[in-house]
């Protein structure tokens, strides 16, 4: 065998550069094809057969509208969607009797709800306001309560949905009975809502608490605000909140 020519059993000595490139390619493949293509592309001499991948298209799906106010002022969808969100400076309030503090009101809860809110009325007047709601063919409602952070005021909004053709007369009869009752005295006006009625109960000297009830009709909804707090009751805060609630019922959220 000629000198310098490797025999069949002699290992072949590959150049270090070949070994380096081989090791580098193996490493690149292990790390990932994407990394390898990126490194090879730096010199501008590599031609990849891979096709460019188009950027993913983001499709934004608009949320379905499940509640709203029609052009005639009537409402559709869950009435809870029309209750005023918890304002700054407030937190969820205590339960409004058996109704809870943020819940729907079923048609069969109409009489208990009116009794809860107007239990101070004489029996004949209470029967009259219950009859007024029944005459309006209530189909459902919702309640939400609020308490200020200072712990001095609780407010509850109850919204009842009536037959649109009957709501004006029904709620008018309701408000008339409350206004004429000797159980209440006239309360403050609600800014921006001249048809709203607020009344305060007859108070006694030395009472640590006072309360106020407000009524208003918006389209097919009859809304009742009931507030209770320490004396002197912050009636301005109550009427401002009630006005905002009526704005939501009139125009939807965002008002």
């Amino acid at each position: 065998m000629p000198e310098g020519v490797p025999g069949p059993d002699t290992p072949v000595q590959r150049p270090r550069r070949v070994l380096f490139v081989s090791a580098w390619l193996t490493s690149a493949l292990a790390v990932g094809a994407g990394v390898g293509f990126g490194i090879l592309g730096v010199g501008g001499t590599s031609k990849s057969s891979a096709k460019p991948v188009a950027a993913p298209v983001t499709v934004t799906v608009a949320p379905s509208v499940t509640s709203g106010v029609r052009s005639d002022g009537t409402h559709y969808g869950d009435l809870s969607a029309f209750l005023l969100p918890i304002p700054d400076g407030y937190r969820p309030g205590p339960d409004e009797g058996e109704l809870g503090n943020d819940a729907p009101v079923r048609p069969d809860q109409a009489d208990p709800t009116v009794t809860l809110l107007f239990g101070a009325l004489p029996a004949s007047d209470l029967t009259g306001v219950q009859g007024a709601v029944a005459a309006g063919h209530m189909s459902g409602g919702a309640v939400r309560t609020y308490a200020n952070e200072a712990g001095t005021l609780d407010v509850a909004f109850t919204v009842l949905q009536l037959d649109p053709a009957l709501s004006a007369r029904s709620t008018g009869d309701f408000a008339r009975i409350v206004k004429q009752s000797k159980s209440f005295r006239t309360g403050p006006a609600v800014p921006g809502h001249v048809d709203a009625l607020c009344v305060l109960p007859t108070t006694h000297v030395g009472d640590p608490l006072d309360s106020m009830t407000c009524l208003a009709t918006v389209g097919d909804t009859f809304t009742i605000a009931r507030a209770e707090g320490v004396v002197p009751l912050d009636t301005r805060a109550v009427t401002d909140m009630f006005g905002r609630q009526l704005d939501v019922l009139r125009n939807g959220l965002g008002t």
Side-chain angles (χ1 to χ4, degrees):
M1 183 74 60
E3 185 179 354
V5 179
D9 297 326
T10 304
V12 177
Q13 301 295 323
R14 297 192 178 113
R16 289 174 56 101
R17 179 175 176 79
V18 173
L19 291 175
F20 173 80
V21 172
S22 176
W24 180 87
L25 286 173
T26 302
S27 174
L29 290 174
V31 172
V35 177
F37 286 138
I39 295 175
L40 290 173
V42 173
T45 59
S46 173
K47 295 182 180 180
S48 172
S49 61
K51 296 181 180 179
V53 179
V57 178
T58 302
V59 179
T60 302
V61 180
S64 59
V65 178
T66 58
S67 300
V69 184
R70 302 184 183 91
S71 58
D72 62 356
T74 58
H75 300 76
Y76 62 89
D78 184 0
L79 277 186
S80 296
F82 299 99
L83 289 172
L84 184 71
I86 304 293
D88 291 341
Y90 287 80
R91 53 182 171 76
D95 287 354
E96 185 74 314
E98 298 298 322
L99 299 177
N101 71 345
D102 195 348
V105 179
R106 303 187 310 271
D108 62 354
Q109 293 177 304
D111 280 358
T113 299
V114 173
T115 301
L116 170 68
L117 300 176
F118 295 92
L121 287 171
S124 58
D125 290 342
L126 181 59
T127 299
V129 293
Q130 287 176 333
V133 172
H137 296 174
M138 172 192 157
S139 59
V143 62
R144 180 170 295 160
T145 70
Y146 315 77
N148 69 356
E149 296 291 355
T152 58
L153 179 67
D154 292 339
V155 181
F157 293 146
T158 302
V159 179
L160 306 178
Q161 189 165 34
L162 308 177
D163 184 323
L166 305 171
S167 61
R169 180 174 180 178
S170 172
T171 57
D173 290 344
F174 195 114
R176 176 180 52 79
I177 294 171
V178 171
K179 191 172 184 179
Q180 293 178 353
S181 174
K182 295 181 179 179
S183 300
F184 296 104
R185 53 194 168 96
T186 303
V190 178
H193 298 274
V194 295
D195 295 330
L197 170 67
C198 291
V199 294
L200 299 102
T202 302
T203 57
H204 302 280
V205 177
D207 284 349
L209 300 177
D210 200 358
S211 63
M212 184 169 71
T213 302
C214 298
L215 317 171
T217 305
V218 180
D220 58 345
T221 59
F222 182 44
T223 308
I224 303 164
R226 190 176 75 89
E228 186 175 73
V230 298
V231 175
L233 184 69
D234 190 351
T235 58
R236 176 64 180 273
V238 178
T239 56
D240 284 351
M241 280 186 67
F242 191 49
R244 292 167 62 188
Q245 172 62 85
L246 298 179
D247 288 340
V248 172
L249 284 166
R250 179 184 292 169
N251 305 309
L253 288 174
T255 59

